[in-house]
Amino acid sequence: MNATYKTKAYSAASATSPLAFTAIPRREPTPHDVRIEILFCGICHSDVHQVRNEWSGVMPTVYPIVPGHEIVGRVAKVGPAVTKYKPGDLAAVGCMVDSDGACPQCRAGQEQFCPNMILTFNSPDKHLGGVTYGGYSNSIVVDERFVLRVPSSLKLAGAAPLLCAGITTYSPMRHGGVTQGKKVGVVGLGGLGHMAVKFAHAFGAHVVVFTTSPAKQEDALRLGADEVVISRDANQMQKHAGSFDFILDAVSAEHDLNAYLQLLGCDGTLTLVGAPAKPLPISAFGLITRRRSLSGSCIGGIAETQEMLDFCGQHNITADVEVIPIQKVNEAYERLLKSDVKYRFSIDMASLKSQ
Ligand SMILES: [Zn+2]
Ligand SMILES: [Zn+2]
């Protein structure tokens, strides 16, 4: 049995319980492990889904759950075989903490598609049994292969959301060839969408934001959009018909994808990163008439996540965050569900240390 130590955390005891103060065990670092003192942890929509067991069909929640997969902190201790990190280094952990390292996906650097990938929380914990516990906690212990470097120039509160919202939008745009001179759409201006706008702008693309809310126009332009289209206005939509190279759709609510497919030019791609609960109807004509593609994407591999963080360091990109103490986390969940945040909550973990 592995040696353990206790660390403070916030956990939920059931699908209807609020998150509350607790102490959880972490393993003492094994030879390849890094122990990180967590400074900030972002709040992702998937934290809320899993705390409330809303994905019970795909990944039922095991209670108690400690969510959080947008983690930045400082290395406190390393195992004797660790070579990439030393105490005092800034470090980050995203959505994954392990994979088999041997399958074709792992060998291609796409650990996110490994059949044996271990998520940062609510995945089987092979060291301690039970499930993995995430970042709403004062410390975490992770194999160095899944630890990332954080450029020291970045503000840490805003860097935390890069680990999920950042890579979720960076990866599909890189894969989709978003570069200088391309016309790129971003559907929905929330936690994911606002990162997509920043990246697309930094890649040199012409960026068009689609939103249902005219009130978001000014903010979209501030974040780097060149144009804003109110998606409920059929005339405005029609003006862009057949003109996009790539559109990233970050909306989780039910909506009409065909309206966006017809905005793509020849060989254009519409990529989904939001996850509407129900199947969406697609018109085949919208695809075949211009050889358009409809695809999906989910986070990114470890090497690409590091590339994204380094890119953010070079271009000074972080998420726009509202920093909260962990004692306000339940309130933050309610506000998140009303989209009442610009654009991501980041929990200051010093608030947990002093509780
Ligand atoms: Zn997430
Ligand atoms: Zn694998």
Side-chain angles (χ1 to χ4, degrees):
M1 194 64 196
N2 291 63
T4 61
Y5 70 98
K6 289 260 178 169
T7 189
K8 293 175 184 175
Y10 261 54
S11 74
S14 77
T16 52
S17 311
L19 289 153
F21 182 80
T22 188
I24 53 166
R26 298 284 193 195
R27 66 180 184 271
E28 285 291 349
T30 63
H32 291 278
D33 281 336
V34 175
R35 191 179 100 196
I36 298 166
E37 296 304 311
I38 301 173
L39 297 172
F40 291 95
C41 184
I43 298 180
C44 175
H45 213 130
S46 55
D47 299 353
V48 184
H49 286 304
Q50 292 198 68
V51 162
R52 299 184 177 182
N53 201 17
E54 289 166 354
W55 289 347
S56 56
V58 203
M59 44 173 91
T61 302
V62 176
Y63 293 94
I65 179 174
V66 178
H69 59 202
E70 295 183 336
I71 299 166
V72 296
R74 217 170 263 289
V75 174
K77 196 174 174 182
V78 297
V82 168
T83 57
K84 294 195 311 202
Y85 298 93
K86 60 179 190 315
D89 287 350
L90 287 174
V93 178
C95 302
M96 312 178 275
V97 290
D98 207 355
S99 73
D100 59 27
C103 73
Q105 288 80 8
C106 284
R107 286 203 301 269
Q110 296 185 335
E111 298 88 354
Q112 76 273 32
F113 305 134
C114 173
N116 298 306
M117 185 261 283
I118 303 291
L119 292 164
T120 303
F121 63 88
N122 197 39
S123 251
D125 184 334
K126 71 180 182 194
H127 299 271
L128 299 182
V131 290
T132 51
Y133 293 140
Y136 296 10
S137 164
N138 273 144
S139 72
I140 191 166
V141 178
V142 177
D143 187 295
E144 73 169 325
R145 292 185 299 123
F146 286 81
V147 176
L148 296 140
R149 285 193 180 284
V150 181
S152 59
S153 57
L154 294 179
K155 288 222 169 77
L156 295 182
L162 298 176
L163 278 301
C164 176
I167 188 63
T168 296
T169 51
Y170 179 95
S171 178
M173 287 198 287
R174 280 296 198 213
H175 190 76
V178 173
T179 50
Q180 185 106 36
K182 295 288 169 79
K183 185 173 175 183
V184 173
V186 175
V187 186
L189 195 65
L192 292 172
H194 97 290
M195 288 309 311
V197 171
K198 291 186 183 202
F199 285 130
H201 177 72
F203 295 156
H206 182 85
V207 187
V208 181
V209 166
F210 297 94
T211 176
T212 53
S213 158
K216 287 191 174 169
Q217 184 148 349
E218 198 179 317
D219 228 22
L221 297 172
R222 175 185 65 83
L223 291 164
D226 297 287
E227 294 179 66
V228 180
V229 169
I230 305 305
S231 54
R232 289 193 175 121
D233 182 335
N235 271 338
Q236 281 192 44
M237 292 287 277
Q238 191 51 39
K239 278 185 197 149
H240 291 272
S243 68
F244 281 86
D245 297 293
F246 183 87
I247 299 177
L248 191 77
D249 187 332
V251 173
S252 299
E254 239 175 287
H255 61 295
D256 179 20
L257 294 188
N258 299 298
Y260 294 103
L261 285 173
Q262 63 98 18
L263 301 188
L264 293 170
C266 287
D267 292 314
T269 299
L270 173 64
T271 298
L272 310 184
V273 290
K278 285 192 202 149
L280 301 163
I282 300 294
S283 158
F285 286 102
L287 293 170
I288 60 187
T289 51
R290 296 200 188 187
R291 198 166 58 196
R292 293 159 172 146
S293 297
L294 173 62
S295 71
S297 184
C298 145
I299 56 172
I302 291 296
E304 193 178 42
T305 305
Q306 188 63 65
E307 175 193 305
M308 178 272 306
L309 286 168
D310 295 343
F311 182 87
C312 288
Q314 283 151 23
H315 296 266
N316 196 27
I317 293 172
T318 53
D320 286 22
V321 292
E322 179 177 336
V323 177
I324 59 160
I326 196 157
Q327 291 78 10
K328 291 228 162 131
V329 69
N330 294 301
E331 196 182 303
Y333 275 23
E334 294 311 315
R335 287 184 49 199
L336 180 64
L337 294 173
K338 288 184 274 185
S339 301
D340 176 23
V341 56
K342 281 186 177 170
Y343 281 90
R344 205 82 161 166
F345 288 109
S346 185
I347 306 169
D348 182 350
M349 283 301 161
S351 60
L352 177 58
K353 220 167 180 174
S354 57
Q355 179 162 352

